[in-house]
Amino acid sequence: MSPRQVGKTTLIKEIIDTRGGRFVTFDDIVAAIGAREDPVGFVDSDPNRLLTIDEVQRVPGLILALKYIGDRDTRPGRFLLTGLANLLKLSAMRTSSWAY
């Protein structure tokens, strides 16, 4: 069974319904462009709600923004990230500058 067949989106939406939050998918090109243009603003746009990002590997520069915001605000459970890539292998994780 592939990751696309296990009900990932259904589970995510249940979590969002329970906790409250925002769901963004980078299958939506407009959302992906917005995240690329202002990654810190995108990540920190609603700091009191869960931000769920699906297909996060499509905007690798966002990983550094998530780290930056996470270092400033250490509350657990702010972000739920999903996708098909190993985030540690993304080029943004191996560089010290913003990768867009």
Side-chain angles (χ1 to χ4, degrees), residues 27-43:
D27 284 338
D28 176 350
I29 191 68
V30 173
I33 290 169
R36 280 187 197 106
E37 289 179 355
D38 182 10
V40 172
F42 179 87
V43 168

Side-chain angles (χ1 to χ4, degrees), residues 35 38-45 62 64-66 68-69 72 98 100:
D38 182 10
V40 172
F42 179 87
V43 168
D44 207 28
S45 63
L62 199 66
L64 290 174
L66 287 161
Y68 173 75
I69 296 300
R72 282 190 4 210
W98 291 96
Y100 297 106

Side-chain angles (χ1 to χ4, degrees), residues 4-52:
R4 294 209 175 270
Q5 298 170 326
V6 296
K8 174 181 70 168
T9 302
T10 300
L11 176 61
I12 289 167
K13 288 184 178 182
E14 285 181 23
I15 292 169
I16 291 170
D17 287 346
T18 300
R19 292 213 29 217
R22 184 172 127 208
F23 175 81
V24 177
T25 179
F26 288 151
D27 284 338
D28 176 350
I29 191 68
V30 173
I33 290 169
R36 280 187 197 106
E37 289 179 355
D38 182 10
V40 172
F42 179 87
V43 168
D44 207 28
S45 63
D46 195 354
N48 295 314
R49 293 178 48 198
L50 172 67
L51 172 59
T52 301

Side-chain angles (χ1 to χ4, degrees), residues 68-90:
Y68 173 75
I69 296 300
D71 287 347
R72 282 190 4 210
D73 180 349
T74 59
R75 288 177 292 155
R78 288 195 53 202
F79 307 110
L80 175 60
L81 310 176
T82 67
L84 298 176
N86 180 341
L87 295 179
L88 297 176
K89 291 184 179 180
L90 290 176

